[in-house]
């Protein structure tokens, strides 16, 4: 009997690690089974669209500038992203399509990106208000952004400061006539000469600072310091009608200068920026003058030598 007990004890000692292993395995299986009931709901939450809320909820821009309202949607899937204007519940865009007659509104959506940003060109005071980025889930989710359009008083301040300069003060001058006409799709080239070494030179289009990083593209600025002062050259390629307007060169510490630009189609007016027309008129005048002079000399020669007729 003692031998049996010894054998039994030895057997138990041998299978004890196996029993513990089976118990641990059973606990793991139960945990996996319990977790498996949570997976569907967790997966549904993971697959559900949501906003990557990293953008400001309040956006403020100046009149006539471009306003960008950011909206990044994660896990969009086959859902639809729309922008709605809150004050009149008007749907402005759906996915990449615009559903408003106001062509200033559009969506910026780079291919394969999660961004569905609302772009408002030439923002006006009437555009102020709340806009919602919406995704047609069930229930629907939305991201509200408040847009505030403010007036730019920079040019008013600049103009009001003109009286503080005397006639010998540093000042800017835009070369050429006060009004420039250019053809559409051509290049607008403006040169501003300052009779001092200005630390910086800013350009305004209307009341807005010219944005060299804007989506328009094709805008460049070259500033050169010379012995006489500072020269700033502004160039805008592929001119469109929207580039028309007043351009102001604003050097730091000097009186600004302005020029009016007209982007046209059709016949060249007298003030067309290209100098081809003026050269043509000048060449014509020169030819007429030379012709008259030749006739005059010929007449004198005939009068002096009547026999030479």
């Amino acid at each position: 009997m003692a031998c049996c007990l010894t054998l039994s004890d030895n057997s138990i000692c041998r299978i004890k690690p196996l029993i513990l292993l089976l118990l641990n395995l059973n606990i793991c299986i139960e945990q996996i089974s319990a977790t498996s009931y949570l997976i569907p709901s967790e997966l549904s939450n993971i697959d559900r669209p949501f906003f990557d809320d990293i953008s400001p909820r309040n956006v403020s821009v100046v009149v006539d500038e471009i306003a960008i309202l950011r909206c990044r949607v994660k896990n969009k899937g086959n859902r639809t992203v729309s922008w709605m204007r809150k004050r009149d519940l008007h749907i402005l865009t759906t996915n990449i399509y615009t559903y408003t007659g106001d062509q200033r509104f559009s969506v910026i959506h780079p291919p394969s990106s999660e961004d569905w940003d609302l772009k408002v060109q030439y923002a006006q005071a009437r555009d102020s208000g709340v806009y919602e980025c919406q995704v047609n889930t069930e229930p629907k989710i939305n991201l509200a952004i408040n847009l505030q359009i403010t007036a730019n008083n920079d040019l008013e301040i600049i103009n009001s400061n003109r009286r503080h300069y005397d006639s010998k003060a540093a000042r800017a001058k835009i070369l050429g006539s006060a009004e420039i006409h250019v053809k559409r799709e051509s290049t607008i080239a403006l040169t501003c000469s300052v009779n001092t070494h200005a630390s910086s030179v800013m350009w305004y289009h209307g009341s807005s600072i010219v944005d060299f990083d804007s989506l328009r593209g094709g805008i460049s600025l070259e500033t050169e310091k010379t012995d006489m002062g500072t020269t700033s050259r502004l160039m805008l390629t592929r001119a469109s009608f929207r580039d028309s307007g007043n351009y102001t060169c604003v050097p730091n510490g000097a009186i600004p200068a302005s020029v009016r630009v007209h982007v046209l189609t059709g016949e060249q007016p007298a003030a067309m920026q290209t100098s081809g027309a003026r050269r043509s008129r000048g060449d014509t005048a020169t030819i007429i003058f030379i012709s008259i002079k030749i006739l005059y000399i010929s007449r004198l020669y005939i009068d002096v030598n009547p026999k030479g007729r």
Side-chain angles (χ1 to χ4, degrees):
M1 187 69 175
C3 182
C4 292
L5 289 173
T6 302
L7 290 172
S8 178
D9 291 340
N10 290 336
S11 300
I12 292 173
C13 290
R14 293 193 199 98
I15 66 173
K16 187 175 181 180
L18 182 59
I19 294 172
L20 292 175
L21 180 61
L22 292 173
L23 288 174
N24 288 330
L25 183 59
N26 185 56
I27 292 171
C28 291
I29 292 173
E30 289 179 355
Q31 290 178 346
I32 293 172
S33 299
T35 305
S36 65
Y37 292 107
L38 300 176
I39 288 176
S41 59
E42 290 179 352
L43 288 176
S44 64
N45 289 333
I46 293 174
D47 291 339
R48 183 179 176 84
F50 64 94
F51 296 110
D52 188 0
D53 195 3
I54 59 174
S55 302
R57 295 296 187 93
N58 293 286
V59 176
S60 179
V61 300
V62 175
V63 170
D64 287 332
E65 287 190 347
I66 296 176
I68 304 292
L69 309 186
R70 308 287 182 184
C71 180
R72 179 171 294 175
V73 181
K74 297 284 189 178
N75 298 331
K76 173 184 174 290
N78 59 356
R79 275 85 169 191
T80 298
V81 179
S82 302
W83 276 97
M84 183 189 76
R85 187 167 52 208
K86 190 72 172 178
R87 73 165 183 266
D88 55 3
L89 303 180
H90 183 66
I91 299 297
L92 301 171
T93 66
T94 297
N95 284 342
I96 61 172
Y97 302 103
T98 302
Y99 289 95
T100 174
D102 192 340
Q103 297 302 311
R104 296 179 303 125
F105 291 88
S106 61
V107 168
I108 302 175
H109 174 63
S112 303
S113 75
E114 298 173 324
D115 297 324
W116 300 86
D117 303 335
L118 180 67
K119 175 183 175 183
V120 186
Q121 296 190 89
Y122 302 97
Q124 302 298 312
R126 65 178 184 273
D127 297 323
S128 297
V130 177
Y131 294 78
E132 285 189 356
C133 179
Q134 303 178 344
V135 182
N136 65 336
T137 55
E138 186 59 43
K140 180 172 59 179
I141 59 174
N142 59 74
L143 176 69
I145 298 178
N146 183 44
L147 174 62
Q148 186 65 38
I149 311 300
T150 59
N152 189 344
N153 296 321
D154 289 350
L155 283 181
E156 295 178 9
I157 295 173
I158 291 169
N159 291 330
S160 67
N161 288 336
R162 288 175 185 262
R163 63 178 178 272
H164 298 297
Y165 297 98
D166 57 32
S167 58
K168 297 181 180 180
R171 63 179 62 245
K173 178 182 179 181
I174 297 180
L175 305 184
S177 69
E179 295 206 15
I180 295 175
H181 298 76
V182 297
K183 282 187 175 182
R184 189 164 62 91
E185 295 296 328
S186 64
T187 297
I188 300 172
L190 305 177
T191 301
C192 177
S193 178
V194 188
N195 62 350
T196 186
H197 290 153
S199 59
S200 64
V201 179
M202 300 178 65
W203 284 87
Y204 284 79
H205 180 202
S207 60
S208 303
I209 297 176
V210 175
D211 184 5
F212 302 99
D213 297 322
S214 68
L215 297 176
R216 178 202 183 279
I219 303 176
S220 62
L221 179 67
E222 178 186 343
T223 302
E224 179 185 3
K225 299 291 180 64
T226 65
D227 294 338
M228 302 299 295
T230 305
T231 301
S232 178
R233 297 180 181 87
L234 176 67
M235 296 188 67
L236 299 92
T237 61
R238 304 186 306 277
S240 68
F241 297 115
R242 292 178 177 177
D243 295 319
S244 297
N246 194 67
Y247 286 82
T248 305
C249 170
V250 185
N252 185 29
I255 300 176
S258 297
V259 63
R260 188 82 182 175
V261 174
H262 304 273
V263 180
L264 306 172
T265 59
E267 296 296 327
Q268 293 184 358
M272 182 69 75
Q273 187 180 67
T274 176
S275 58
R278 287 195 292 271
R279 284 200 304 269
S280 177
R281 288 194 297 272
D283 292 343
T284 303
T286 301
I287 293 171
I288 294 174
F289 174 77
I290 293 173
S291 300
I292 293 174
K293 192 170 183 179
I294 291 173
L295 290 173
Y296 177 75
I297 294 173
S298 300
R299 183 65 182 174
L300 286 177
Y301 177 79
I302 293 172
D303 292 341
V304 173
N305 302 281
K307 294 182 178 180
R309 292 184 179 182

